[in-house]
Amino acid sequence: MANKITLSGFAGTGKSTVGKLVAKALDFEFISVGNYSRKFALEKYNMTINEFQELVSRKPEIDKAIDSEFQNYCNARNNLVIDYRLGFHFVKNAFHVLLKVSDDEAFKRISQSGRTNEDYSLSAINNRNEIMKDRFLNSYGVDFTDESNYSLVLDTSFISPEEVVFRILSAIK
């Protein structure tokens, strides 16, 4: 069984929800680069995640510093579930999962998430997703939406988080 699992996908796919459940089931640590980035953006720049995404598009060195720190942390430990779009690229010896979701379901989930200071209109979500995809292509030459990068691809649009967890746990055993 894998001792590291990475979860990737666009906003609203359920990475954090599923990640926490998988971590609990396996008694692993759950970590999220998104949570880290939100906190970093607010504390260091007094920005929302949407504003921060635009900033790092213009200043890729910020992204690279976050990625380097996160990569080092993840590769130095075991028993992790990692919510990280670039996990497949940076985290070695892991089981890599891509979660997918319809735009309508992503909007519904994000708008009900209770996140403050975040624009969660459908256009803002799609814009943020495209900015991230382009940024990672430009900075690292990788497409995190390319399904060939993953051990497992799941569409979470019409299945419960518990079903997603079941499918991941079944695949890693």
Side-chain angles (χ1 to χ4, degrees), residues 53-138:
Q53 295 297 332
E54 290 180 25
L55 173 67
V56 295
S57 292
R58 295 186 311 272
K59 296 186 174 193
E61 64 274 10
I62 298 171
D63 242 359
K64 292 189 186 234
I66 291 171
D67 287 328
S68 178
E69 181 177 323
F70 219 71
Q71 174 185 358
N72 291 337
Y73 182 89
C74 293
N75 285 314
R77 289 163 180 74
N78 288 316
N79 300 331
L80 299 175
V81 177
I82 307 155
D83 171 355
Y84 186 23
R85 285 180 184 87
L86 293 177
F88 74 92
H89 184 66
F90 288 121
V91 180
K92 305 305 176 209
N93 303 315
F95 186 83
H96 304 294
V97 180
L98 174 65
L99 301 179
K100 299 171 72 174
V101 69
S102 69
D103 287 346
D104 290 339
E105 185 63 21
F107 169 75
K108 179 178 150 191
R109 291 174 184 177
I110 293 170
S111 64
Q112 295 173 351
S113 70
R115 293 178 184 162
T116 58
N117 299 322
E118 190 169 325
D119 182 356
Y120 50 78
S121 66
L122 189 54
S123 63
I125 294 166
N126 287 335
N127 185 49
R128 191 170 106 207
N129 285 335
E130 287 307 312
I131 287 171
M132 278 187 285
K133 183 177 177 180
D134 290 345
R135 204 170 77 229
F136 300 151
L137 277 169
N138 292 332

Side-chain angles (χ1 to χ4, degrees), residues 23-72:
K24 184 177 180 181
L26 296 173
D27 196 26
F28 282 15
E29 177 186 359
F30 172 75
I31 56 174
S32 167
V33 77
N35 292 343
Y36 177 84
S37 296
R38 279 182 185 84
K39 184 178 176 185
F40 184 85
L42 187 59
E43 290 176 358
K44 184 150 175 93
Y45 296 96
N46 196 32
M47 291 182 162
T48 66
I49 193 65
N50 302 89
E51 293 166 331
F52 185 67
Q53 295 297 332
E54 290 180 25
L55 173 67
V56 295
S57 292
R58 295 186 311 272
K59 296 186 174 193
E61 64 274 10
I62 298 171
D63 242 359
K64 292 189 186 234
I66 291 171
D67 287 328
S68 178
E69 181 177 323
F70 219 71
Q71 174 185 358
N72 291 337

Side-chain angles (χ1 to χ4, degrees), residues 155-171:
D155 187 330
T156 67
S157 299
F158 304 107
I159 58 177
S160 70
E162 293 78 15
E163 178 63 23
V164 176
V165 170
F166 174 78
R167 291 183 189 188
I168 292 170
L169 294 177
S170 296

